[in-house]
Amino acid sequence: MAEGKDEKKYTTISIPTPLAEKIKKRIEGTGFTSLSSYVTYVLREVISGMEEESEEVFSKEDEEKVKDRLRALGYLD
Amino acid sequence: MRLMELDENINYIVSGLERSGTSMVMQVLLAGGAPVAFNKSRLPDQSNPKGYYELEGGKIINKLMDGTFPLNEYKGKFIKITSYGLKYLPAGDYKIIYSERNIGEILDSMEKMANINDTNREETRESFVKLNSMIKNYIREREDIEVLIVNYNNILSEPSINIKKIYDFLDLADINLEKMIDAVDRELYRQRRN
């Protein structure tokens, strides 16, 4: 994937050519005007989903970190 | 000062992450005439010059975890239980004022109080953000808990508007709103992040 009209705002990422061709076919007739705009959209969705997911899960590791801090503050034995 | 009576069937709780303004909310309630239960098991210090307003030396969480904290004895009074302890509240009838604050300020204040230099601050931040989110969802979903979320930073910047929210939540004719607002002590706001 190579787009470089504005070098300050964009960077170049390589993906396998067969995948690029597949995506081009997939976006035909959709509102996406380029391979880059589609891939940007997909990546944003993926990252946003990951962030939401990580916010929701209070893991055992998180709990241990919290308990350590509460002990340091004198709120837990 | 004459204290008003709260519902003797309800446990009233002030909560939030440690260093999120829970002591200030306790001070505000006390100033307004609400029954507030605390003892001097943790004395005022540099981190909380006006006191902690706590029971069990702040270690109420341990007693909630093992089921030995006598919640029944504190019905009709406000007590302070910080966020993590709410996970262990047994079934009952609760009204909770939950205080939030800028997470950076909370961590600054925690580090100062515990005299630590957190080298994994970003991880710690993430864990406390998750705890806060998890607990808020948990107490909002429980049918035996009524919740008011307040924000420490907003209380300090606009006391009248934000203390009125607490006043409305309590819905008590004889609580003194003016004294509650006057109790907001801006001088204690030392960990401000602009």
Side-chain angles (χ1 to χ4, degrees), chain B residues 27-54:
Chain B
Q27 286 168 30
V28 164
L29 292 166
L30 184 61
V36 172
F38 59 94
N39 56 33
K40 294 186 176 176
S41 52
R42 176 139 55 170
L43 295 170
D45 58 18
Q46 199 182 356
S47 295
N48 264 12
K50 291 200 169 182
Y52 285 85
Y53 295 85
E54 290 170 345

Side-chain angles (χ1 to χ4, degrees), chain A residues 53-67, chain B residues 84 87 123 126-128 130-131 134:
Chain A
E53 196 176 308
S54 76
E55 274 173 19
E56 286 170 8
V57 180
F58 181 63
S59 66
K60 280 282 162 204
E61 289 75 20
D62 290 316
E63 189 161 12
E64 285 312 310
K65 277 193 202 108
V66 165
K67 286 165 87 172
Chain B
Y84 186 69
K87 208 179 143 187
E123 286 181 15
E126 201 174 306
S127 295
F128 274 95
K130 286 181 191 172
L131 170 68
M134 183 269 285

Side-chain angles (χ1 to χ4, degrees), chain A residues 5-52:
Chain A
K5 286 180 184 173
D6 185 344
E7 288 177 7
K8 287 179 184 170
K9 289 185 180 172
Y10 296 90
T11 189
T12 304
I13 294 171
S14 300
I15 61 171
T17 306
L19 177 60
E21 293 304 321
K22 237 182 202 179
I23 295 170
K24 278 180 189 169
K25 280 184 187 166
R26 190 182 178 94
I27 63 175
E28 277 173 7
T30 70
F32 292 101
T33 54
S34 69
L35 186 57
S36 288
S37 62
Y38 180 77
V39 173
T40 301
Y41 168 78
V42 171
L43 289 176
R44 281 191 177 134
E45 286 293 301
V46 169
I47 289 167
S48 161
M50 285 165 69
E51 283 173 352
E52 279 176 22

Side-chain angles (χ1 to χ4, degrees), chain A residues 73, chain B residues 19 23 43-52 101 109-115 188 190-191:
Chain A
L73 292 167
Chain B
R19 314 307 296 160
S23 297
L43 295 170
D45 58 18
Q46 199 182 356
S47 295
N48 264 12
K50 291 200 169 182
Y52 285 85
R101 181 182 183 184
S109 184
M110 283 180 173
E111 288 178 34
K112 193 174 175 189
M113 181 177 166
N115 196 22
L188 293 180
R190 294 156 296 177
Q191 301 291 344

Side-chain angles (χ1 to χ4, degrees), chain A residues 74-77, chain B residues 13-14 18 37 41-42 53-71 74 79-82 84-86 88-89:
Chain A
Y75 282 96
L76 203 61
D77 278 334
Chain B
I13 296 169
V14 171
E18 290 72 13
S41 52
R42 176 139 55 170
Y53 295 85
E54 290 170 345
L55 295 165
E56 308 289 342
K59 294 192 174 71
I60 200 168
I61 296 173
N62 283 105
K63 294 216 163 188
L64 285 164
M65 288 168 90
D66 63 21
T68 58
F69 183 74
L71 276 162
Y74 294 101
I79 59 171
K80 183 166 132 183
I81 301 175
T82 49
Y84 186 69
L86 298 184
Y88 298 95
L89 281 184

